Amino acid sequence: MDILNTEIWRVGIIRAPIQDVLKAGTLETFSIKWIEADDSLCFIADPFGLWRGELLYLFVEAYDYRTRRGYIVAYVLDAELNILEYRPVLREDWHLSYPVVFEADGEIWMLPEAYKSGRLTLYRAIEFPWRWQAVPEFQFPEAAIDASPLYHAGRWWMFYTPPTPKAARTNTLKLASADQLFGPWDQQPIQTLREDIRGSRMGGTPFLANGKVFLPTQDCHETYGGALQLLSFPEESISQPDLSCSHRLTAPHHNAPYLQGLHTLSQAGPVTLVDTKRELRGSPRRVLIELRRLWHKK
C-alpha cells in the first residue's frame, strides 16, 4: 500500500434510470447529487440501492484509513434525494464492501464482498434497513469478489471475480448459476467468461436493455477502478454468453477533482448510482497514521 497516495471516493445519484445512461453513453450530460464521507481520512463507495414507497435506501462501503477496514452504511433519502438518516448497518471482523441489495422470495437480501473472511456470505434483512443476519444455508464454491446476482430465465446467475491468484482479482470474470438462491451453485460447471484487466471485475448491477444483458465491469489497466467497461450479450445466450464491449464510461469532467476513477454503476429504479475517485498525494494525516501503525508493529 502506497502511503503517499490516498484514494478518496464519493457516491453519486443520477436522476435517470440506468437505461438512459446506457443510451447516452456518457455521464457528462447528467446532473448528479453527490454524497461524501464526513471525515477526510474516510470515503464511501460501491453504492447499491432499493426504493420502498417514496424512500430510497442507499447502501455503501464506508472505509476508514485509520482502521484499514470497510463496513456497510445505509442512507435513507426522500423522493427529492434529501438525506433523512444514515448509520452503520453491518460490521464484521474483516473488510466489507460492495453491498449488493436485492429482493427475492418476499425478503430483502444483501451480498457484500468479504473475500478476506474466506467465503461469500448472504445476509437477510431482519429489520430493514438497519439489522441483518447471516444465512448459513447459503453456500457458494469460493470467496467471490464483487459477486453480482441476476435472476433471469427462471434461474439465478452470479457474475464474480475469484480471490486467487492475486492477478485474477482485477482481470477475471466468472459465472455460476443455480435453480435457487441458496444453491447449489456448482451443480453446473462454473465458466470463466473473460480474462482482461480492461474490463472483467464486476462494477455494479447486471441489467437488461434492448434484448441484451449488460455487465458493468472495472477497467483497471491504468489504476484500480479507473473506468467502467460495459460488456453485453444477447439475453437468450445467458447460459453461454459471448461477451462484447459496448461502452466505456469515465468520471464526468464537471466532477473535478474526482476524476481519477469510476468503478460502480448500479440501477435503483428511476435513479442510477455511481462513485468517483480522487487521489491525494502526500496527505500529512495519512502519512502520520501509517507511520504510527509501523511503529506499533515493532
Side-chain angles (χ1 to χ4, degrees):
M1 180 177 289
D2 182 0
I3 68 172
L4 296 179
N5 187 55
T6 302
E7 295 187 351
I8 302 294
W9 293 84
R10 67 176 178 176
V11 164
I13 306 173
I14 300 173
R15 292 178 174 86
I18 202 166
Q19 289 79 8
D20 286 2
V21 176
L22 173 71
K23 184 177 180 180
T26 178
L27 301 187
E28 299 289 350
T29 57
F30 295 97
S31 65
I32 304 175
K33 175 184 173 63
W34 296 104
I35 304 174
E36 300 181 17
D38 296 331
D39 191 285
S40 61
L41 282 178
C42 301
F43 66 73
I44 58 173
D46 295 354
F48 293 87
L50 286 176
W51 286 88
R52 303 197 81 190
E54 295 297 311
L55 298 178
L56 171 62
Y57 294 88
L58 172 66
F59 295 83
V60 302
E61 170 204 351
Y63 185 86
D64 190 330
Y65 277 102
R66 287 162 291 203
T67 63
R68 286 192 183 177
R69 183 176 295 168
Y71 55 96
I72 307 306
V73 170
Y75 288 76
V76 183
L77 298 90
D78 64 19
E80 301 303 316
L81 303 183
N82 300 303
I83 298 173
L84 305 178
E85 185 178 3
Y86 68 96
R87 53 182 147 134
V89 296
L90 188 61
R91 295 181 186 265
E92 296 286 11
D93 293 333
W94 47 82
H95 177 79
L96 294 172
S97 62
Y98 205 79
V100 177
V101 290
F102 58 100
E103 297 182 79
D105 302 326
E107 300 197 67
I108 300 179
W109 312 88
M110 183 193 298
L111 194 65
E113 187 279 309
Y115 85 90
K116 291 185 178 180
S117 70
R119 60 174 298 178
L120 178 66
T121 300
L122 179 70
Y123 294 82
R124 175 189 283 114
I126 56 176
E127 184 187 325
F128 184 82
W130 310 121
R131 294 179 60 214
W132 299 82
Q133 185 176 67
V135 181
E137 297 88 347
F138 177 85
Q139 300 291 327
F140 199 78
E142 56 186 323
I145 294 175
D146 294 353
S148 304
L150 172 68
Y151 185 76
H152 182 65
R155 288 181 63 80
W156 284 95
W157 309 87
M158 192 77 77
F159 300 91
Y160 72 97
T161 287
T164 56
K166 185 176 181 179
R169 297 174 194 170
T170 53
N171 73 6
T172 300
L173 175 63
K174 299 179 77 171
L175 173 62
S177 65
D179 292 327
Q180 306 293 331
L181 177 59
F182 288 2
W185 284 92
D186 54 359
Q187 196 169 30
Q188 299 292 329
I190 294 175
Q191 304 176 57
T192 297
L193 300 183
R194 183 175 167 89
E195 294 179 313
D196 189 339
I197 198 170
R198 295 175 183 269
S200 291
R201 177 167 169 165
M202 288 298 295
T205 52
F207 65 96
L208 306 179
N210 306 320
K212 294 182 178 181
V213 177
F214 288 85
L215 306 177
T217 61
Q218 298 184 42
D219 182 343
C220 299
H221 84 280
E222 292 183 348
T223 180
Y224 169 71
L228 286 170
Q229 184 75 253
L230 294 187
L231 308 179
S232 67
F233 57 88
E235 285 184 55
E236 62 270 16
S237 68
I238 189 168
S239 60
Q240 295 288 331
D242 182 14
L243 300 176
S244 61
C245 297
S246 299
H247 299 76
R248 187 176 186 272
L249 298 176
T250 59
H253 287 93
H254 59 72
N255 184 42
Y258 289 80
L259 299 176
Q260 281 81 43
L262 168 73
H263 79 348
T264 308
L265 181 79
S266 65
Q267 62 177 341
V271 301
T272 302
L273 309 174
V274 296
D275 56 10
T276 55
K277 176 179 73 169
R278 67 179 299 193
E279 295 179 352
L280 305 178
R281 294 297 297 176
S283 165
R285 291 184 64 198
R286 168 79 190 288
V287 171
L288 180 60
I289 285 172
E290 297 299 340
L291 290 176
R292 285 175 176 170
R293 181 177 287 114
L294 292 172
W295 175 261
H296 288 303
K297 284 183 177 181
K298 291 182 178 181

